[in-house]
Amino acid sequence: LGPTITAGEILVEIMSTSIGAGFMEPQSLIGPFPSGAPAIFIDQVARLGSPAGIISAVGEDDFGRLNIERLKRDGADVTAIEILPDMPTGSAFVRYREDGARDFVFNIAKSASGMIRMTENARTLIGRAGHVHVMGSAFAIPGIAEILMEAVAVVKSRGGSVSFDPNIRKELLAGQEDARRRLDQILAVTDLLLPSGEELAIAAGVDDEAEAVGKLLSSGVAEIVLKRGAKGSSCFVAGQHLDCPAFIVEEVDPTGAGDCFGATYVTCRRQGKSPEDALRYANAAGARTVTRRGPMEGVSSFAELDEFIHANRSDN
Ligand code: ATP
């Protein structure tokens, strides 16, 4: 299997320890935690023992080193992460509200992550890849859509596959008139779609779930996996509809659940596991992630997932 690859932002996340809206008064913060949806995804694939690599950029600073060291430790290919001496590594500040909603302050556009470009090392990684995972959050970075579409074309021409997590963050999409055009461009080459919440309706352009799923499947998407947070997940593939309830855990920090879930589902399917097994492993990966503070702190190995699933069996 050629590596699973993606391109996009690498950040540190710094999190408020108090619950409430916004950052308008001094508050206690924790972090830095390695972060960036594409980085979390790739770290989780690597942690499962599957080859994985990311095209990205960081600054020549501790925030960049922290991310590279974590990705390397977990087994990811970091050769296509460019280190830019004159730019800071990106950062995101997050604060949780009472209802679990999040407020973000992003520093991406004017960070190394805003300068990701196609390099020789990136081309070499694409040349070996067997699967491209596209994340909607990365579209906010100038030039990233072109890198991802080039990777998709190369990998597809060799018989590889593509997954897509729309991961639409309104803060990142603001002012992006061509967001819809990009969405349609990616959907046209997507084999596996991993939407959450209203992203399914946005992608399909219809509100009703069954109708949206039907429309996307008939447009050429082979497999759709819906992430339903604490309600678990569902999968639609080859005429099958599977629902998998969530594991019951205490949610401490939901950030990263969708990325770890997606990485686990993609990896299981690439390894030939059934949709049912993939869904169970992915649900376990998502559940473990929400029990840890920090978006990349809850990534799991297969041994950890097996242990978690065994300990949380409904017949226990
Ligand atoms: P994010 O954008 O925050 O990374 P997402 O919206 O893409 O997340 P979610 O639906 O929140 O994705 O989470 C993905 C999966 O993780 C869910 O389908 C579920 O299996 C698991 N999960 C998430 N939250 C919980 C929870 N509170 N309890 C148990 N499992 C959870």
Side-chain angles (χ1 to χ4, degrees):
L1 285 186
T4 295
I5 64 162
T6 194
E9 69 280 10
I10 290 181
L11 317 168
V12 290
E13 183 176 298
I14 294 159
M15 188 190 301
S16 177
T17 56
S18 54
I19 305 282
F23 285 98
M24 297 297 286
E25 74 285 337
Q27 50 204 272
S28 297
L29 302 167
I30 53 166
F33 293 109
S35 189
I40 300 164
F41 181 95
I42 284 303
D43 195 66
Q44 175 60 86
V45 175
R47 194 57 188 264
L48 292 171
S50 209
I54 182 167
I55 298 165
S56 190
V58 294
E60 197 173 20
D61 53 26
D62 280 351
F63 290 173
R65 283 187 277 275
L66 168 69
N67 273 287
I68 289 183
E69 286 311 313
R70 173 65 63 88
L71 286 160
K72 253 176 38 190
R73 188 195 79 187
D74 286 344
D77 183 329
V78 298
T79 55
I81 303 174
E82 202 179 4
I83 298 170
L84 300 173
D86 300 323
M87 295 298 290
T89 299
S91 54
F93 291 79
V94 60
R95 176 161 162 150
Y96 291 92
R97 297 190 183 201
E98 296 286 353
D99 64 358
R102 289 166 283 187
D103 290 315
F104 289 97
V105 174
F106 286 111
N107 162 30
I108 300 177
K110 293 193 173 117
S111 77
S113 272
M115 313 271 296
I116 301 169
R117 57 188 172 173
M118 187 63 97
T119 59
E120 273 313 301
N121 286 353
R123 285 223 158 80
T124 305
L125 180 64
I126 292 170
R128 295 191 291 109
H131 182 92
V132 183
H133 182 68
V134 178
M135 310 205 71
S137 64
F139 291 172
I141 298 167
I144 206 82
E146 288 72 17
I147 294 175
L148 283 163
M149 291 317 284
E150 185 174 332
V152 164
V154 170
V155 168
K156 279 233 155 182
S157 72
R158 283 207 310 269
S161 47
V162 173
S163 50
F164 176 39
D165 179 346
N167 199 6
I168 297 163
R169 293 245 192 280
K170 59 180 187 329
E171 294 91 337
L172 290 178
L173 278 182
Q176 301 251 324
E177 291 88 24
D178 53 2
R180 180 74 235 178
R181 186 183 54 79
R182 284 198 187 138
L183 188 59
D184 289 338
Q185 199 185 14
I186 308 278
L187 281 171
V189 291
T190 296
D191 300 295
L192 166 59
L193 180 67
L194 294 143
S196 66
E198 59 184 8
E199 291 165 1
L200 175 74
I202 296 173
V206 259
D207 285 337
D208 179 69
E209 184 177 297
E211 216 180 305
V213 166
K215 189 172 166 194
L216 289 164
L217 289 175
S218 63
S219 77
V221 176
E223 190 160 349
I224 300 175
V225 177
L226 295 183
K227 294 173 280 178
R228 301 187 195 271
K231 296 198 181 100
S233 57
S234 303
C235 167
F236 303 85
V237 61
Q240 279 180 288
H241 169 185
L242 304 167
D243 291 315
C244 192
F247 290 95
I248 296 162
V249 291
E250 194 193 334
E251 182 176 298
V252 173
D253 177 9
T255 306
D259 307 320
C260 291
F261 174 98
T264 304
Y265 192 87
V266 167
T267 303
C268 287
R269 293 294 283 143
R270 288 200 72 210
Q271 292 180 347
K273 291 186 171 58
S274 68
E276 201 172 354
D277 287 348
L279 214 49
R280 188 177 321 110
Y281 273 123
N283 262 12
R288 282 191 89 244
T289 309
V290 305
T291 63
R292 311 275 154 92
R293 258 188 182 165
M296 216 190 266
E297 308 310 301
V299 295
S300 311
S301 65
F302 272 119
E304 286 163 333
L305 294 179
D306 282 329
E307 195 185 318
F308 178 85
I309 290 169
H310 185 76
N312 290 280
R313 274 192 333 230
S314 48
D315 56 342
N316 270 355

